[in-house]
Amino acid sequence: MAFNKRVKIKAVLDQNLIGQEITLMGWVRTKRSNKNVSFIALNDGSIITNYQVVADPNLISEEILKKCSTGACLKVSGIVVESQGAGQSSELHAKSIEILGEADPEKFPLQPKKHSLEFLRDIAHLRMRTNTFGAVFRVRHALAFAVHKYFNDRGFFYIHTPIITASDAEGAGEMFRVTTLDLKNLPKDEAGGIDFKQDFFEKETNLTVSGQLEGELAAMALGEIYTFGPTFRAENSNTTRHLAEFWMIEPEMAFYDAEDNQNLAEDFLKYVINYALENCAEDLQFLDQRAADEEKAKPAEQRAELGLIEKLKFVVENDFVRLTYTEAIDILRNSNHNKKKKFQYLIDSWGADLQSEHERYLVEKHFKKPVILTDYPKEIKAFYMRQNEDGKTVAAMDILFPGIGEIVGGSQREERLDRLTQRMQEMHIPEEELWWYLDTRRFGANPHAGFGLGFERMVLFVTGMGNIRDVIAFPRTPGNAEF
Ligand code: 4AD
Ligand code: MG
């Protein structure tokens, strides 16, 4: 049941409407005319395919036809007729065309030709009207829906954690401040510092980097929960993998240990990718071809071995490799890549933080599969991760994907109050700020675990796009908050 009288192009293509009179509404992609007839390719966003409208100049005035230029928005009523041409089974023979919105061909920036992704980023307000971005955002939607479906079907509850927070969950200090103080006239306290007691929340607040800590509180009441919300990081990394504002999915499960957590994460990632394969066939076919064209432009030795759809199927059908950080360091240290000094950061000792070049070496060159790396040195991980018996490592896991690097970060949590507070002291995290978090270790503590999936990194992987700025509608990156 539609709420207006137009029919979506997807519905016209899915059903047999031959002979019926219908109304389409959408945007002109291209128009070809001769003296006898005009062919208008219309797209309404419901599907990647354009629908052919056939306009007879005896029925549609020249003035109207002239305005059916690329980018214009039309309301077309007519009869669905079996198509003579190859490719499409039916077309619409227009009885009337109403111009809903003109697009001056001299000024409309999108032309029926291939624009560069960089150019399209500058016109992000229009880029969703291209095939590439239409496909990306339909796939993004399907992935988000699959996330909710996966958890809902398994009895996880969706929790909305706060966006404004007074704590730094990851302890990395890369936060955006939230304040209503007058920046030109900051109130001072007795010691000469800024008096945050006069700020809106009467304390320092920031945009959250993660919903995890609050998610843990919910897991200790509801059992299995997940969050799916925006997170913010003021890290100045201008890479193809980092956004200042990105969406994260964070499941948190009571009674899970590190291995249960890994099993869930692997199953979840495969489910979501498979959902896209099953529900976004046309869009993925298009993106597969787009990626293949990009590959052709690269030197032979840099080309991907698998096409996009092949790669997605490969991930769904094969077990991820699981190994510890210590094992990974051995592999990296002994690799020819390291010996020939091809890494920018050479691996010489245990304890080094892995850079994305190392992660990608493991996934793309060594194992050629997604990898779950576990048991990292405690020094390079957050305070809340459960301490292993060796006294050196924590029950962390990072999941590394080909072409992406880290896509998931998670851990079993430290549920033992004494160990947790000791680690917080070592890392100079004030206990007073997290009194509520520590209370869960005082009252009904339990083993539990969780992880965070960077949603845009998943969209990047599934769409085969090369830059994270092209999988979120309006990216926020250093120096850019347009639109
Ligand atoms: O590894 P991270 O920092 O882990 C956490 O925030 C934990 N609280 C998660 C948890 O255990 N509940 O971030 C999780 C994921 C990363 O693996 C990456 O995919 C993504 O978030 N991510 C980013 N994505 C885009 N831009 C950035 N700047 C990102 N930083 C992290
Ligand atoms: Mg991480």
Side-chain angles (χ1 to χ4, degrees), residues 57-73:
N58 296 318
L59 297 175
I60 312 292
S61 76
E62 197 188 320
E63 194 201 339
I64 293 278
L65 278 177
K66 205 167 158 236
K67 288 181 179 164
C68 295
S69 56
T70 298
C73 189

Side-chain angles (χ1 to χ4, degrees), residues 169-170 209-213 231 233 235 237 241-252 381 384-385 398-399 406-411 413 450-457 468:
E170 293 303 304
V209 296
S210 157
Q212 177 195 324
L213 301 188
T231 49
R233 296 196 185 178
E235 44 190 343
S237 6
R241 304 282 173 269
H242 288 86
L243 290 164
E245 175 177 294
F246 64 100
W247 289 69
M248 196 170 11
I249 295 126
E250 295 186 274
E252 192 69 35
K381 288 292 181 189
Y384 51 70
M385 296 193 180
D398 275 9
I399 303 186
E406 181 191 334
I407 195 162
V408 160
S411 73
R413 316 307 187 191
F451 62 86
L453 166 67
F455 185 56
E456 284 74 19
R457 292 198 184 169
I468 201 162

Side-chain angles (χ1 to χ4, degrees), residues 402-430:
I404 304 288
E406 181 191 334
I407 195 162
V408 160
S411 73
Q412 186 171 339
R413 316 307 187 191
E414 183 55 83
E415 82 283 11
R416 297 161 297 188
L417 182 64
D418 54 339
R419 303 264 189 132
L420 183 61
T421 51
Q422 175 215 327
R423 193 77 196 114
M424 287 170 68
Q425 277 157 23
E426 286 166 10
M427 296 175 78
H428 309 292
I429 297 168

Side-chain angles (χ1 to χ4, degrees), residues 115-122 132-133 290 294 465 470:
H115 292 293
S116 75
L117 294 173
E118 290 75 18
F119 171 77
L120 292 171
R121 235 169 264 151
D122 290 338
T132 298
F133 287 93
R290 197 203 74 86
E294 296 245 303
M465 299 295 285
D470 296 331

